[in-house]
Amino acid sequence: GAGVSQSPRYKVTKRGQDVALRCDPISGHVSLYWYRQALGQGPEFLTYFNYEAQQDKSGLPNDRFSAERPEGSISTLTIQRTEQRDSAMYRCASSPLDSEAFFGQGTRLTVV
Amino acid sequence: QKEVEQNSGPLSVPEGAIASLNCTYSDRVSQSFFWYRQYSGKSPELIMSIYSNGDKEDGRFTAQLNKASQYVSLLIRDSQPSDSATYLCAVKKDSSYKLIFGSGTRLLVRP
């Protein structure tokens, strides 16, 4: 595709359920980032991949959050046992190495 | 201390004026600097990148970088109401490092 694609666009889940958010980066982009963005705030770093290697996961809030990018392309961010405080916009961005990052439309997660 | 700091605003300027948006960063070895624009309810959109000290101009936008002062700014000339948005500063230390964002400055251009 032409841009970064995230799915689903909206996800409503019950507290305690697991959710998986998908990011399909721009073809050929080496780097892939996951962010979480609260209303009125800048994107908060969660984790970052170069190819399939998870270079940095220091922003993941706790061990309920995990991410993978097994073939160096599509990435999945998984949140286990969701809590209401996990409700947010989750954004994915991709970039060529050493270059600008481009964002997808985001996934709005609501935990009820 | 936050890694990337921006004044949250709002910064209000009249149409046609120059809007000046500022950003400071804490890590002296940072190498790459970016400005994103984010309209309400939309995703951040890249508008400028700058990698070396000095000014970089692109149309009505000028990015300025001063690594000694750990300061990067964005000037918008001839501001238009359509420039009203939140402007995010982002910093990357090197190719193997994460891209870190500030909390953004809200710009309001009054007609």
Side-chain angles (χ1 to χ4, degrees):
Chain A
V4 179
S5 178
Q6 290 187 247
S7 60
R9 292 289 307 277
Y10 302 92
K11 177 71 177 178
V12 180
T13 190
K14 290 186 177 179
R15 192 172 50 191
Q17 296 293 305
D18 298 351
V19 295
L21 311 181
R22 175 185 162 123
C23 174
D24 194 349
I26 294 171
S27 178
H29 278 196
V30 167
S31 302
L32 186 147
Y33 305 85
W34 282 100
Y35 294 89
R36 180 168 66 177
Q37 189 172 21
L39 203 60
Q41 298 295 314
E44 174 197 5
F45 172 80
L46 295 178
T47 187
Y48 161 52
F49 292 84
N50 264 350
Y51 300 99
E52 71 281 0
Q54 192 170 21
Q55 299 273 165
D56 189 322
K57 56 180 182 178
S58 63
L60 295 176
N62 51 61
D63 60 9
R64 295 186 298 106
F65 287 72
S66 63
E68 63 175 9
R69 193 186 184 198
E71 295 177 2
S73 180
I74 293 168
S75 176
T76 303
L77 176 70
T78 300
I79 309 173
Q80 295 179 309
R81 304 180 304 280
T82 51
E83 302 177 6
Q84 284 189 320
R85 61 179 170 153
D86 300 333
S87 297
M89 178 68 81
Y90 289 84
R91 298 196 184 277
C92 174
S94 71
S95 75
L97 200 61
D98 286 342
S99 189
E100 299 93 344
F102 298 90
F103 281 85
Q105 316 98 310
T107 294
R108 167 73 67 189
L109 175 66
T110 303
V111 182
V112 297
Chain B
Q1 182 188 9
K2 287 186 180 178
E3 293 185 71
V4 181
E5 298 217 46
Q6 297 181 254
N7 188 314
S8 60
L11 173 66
S12 181
V13 300
E15 184 173 356
I18 296 175
S20 177
L21 302 155
N22 305 315
C23 171
T24 58
Y25 58 95
S26 61
D27 195 329
R28 184 169 291 277
V29 302
S30 297
Q31 294 185 355
S32 307
F33 306 86
F34 308 92
W35 282 100
Y36 287 78
R37 178 177 61 200
Q38 187 173 26
Y39 292 114
S40 182
K42 300 296 186 182
S43 293
E45 170 196 10
L46 178 72
I47 51 173
M48 289 284 287
S49 59
I50 187 165
Y51 302 95
S52 53
N53 276 329
D55 294 0
K56 180 181 176 183
E57 187 174 317
D58 183 1
R60 295 187 296 113
F61 299 99
T62 299
Q64 299 176 316
L65 176 60
N66 183 327
K67 288 187 177 181
S69 301
Q70 295 175 233
Y71 179 92
V72 57
S73 64
L74 179 70
L75 301 179
I76 307 175
R77 287 181 299 283
D78 188 24
S79 295
Q80 301 297 308
S82 59
D83 295 326
S84 298
T86 296
Y87 289 80
L88 298 162
C89 173
V91 174
K92 188 172 166 77
K93 196 155 66 173
D94 59 37
S95 62
S96 62
Y97 204 72
K98 57 195 174 187
L99 181 63
I100 299 296
F101 283 83
S103 55
T105 298
R106 195 168 134 239
L107 173 66
L108 179 63
V109 181
R110 308 187 304 271

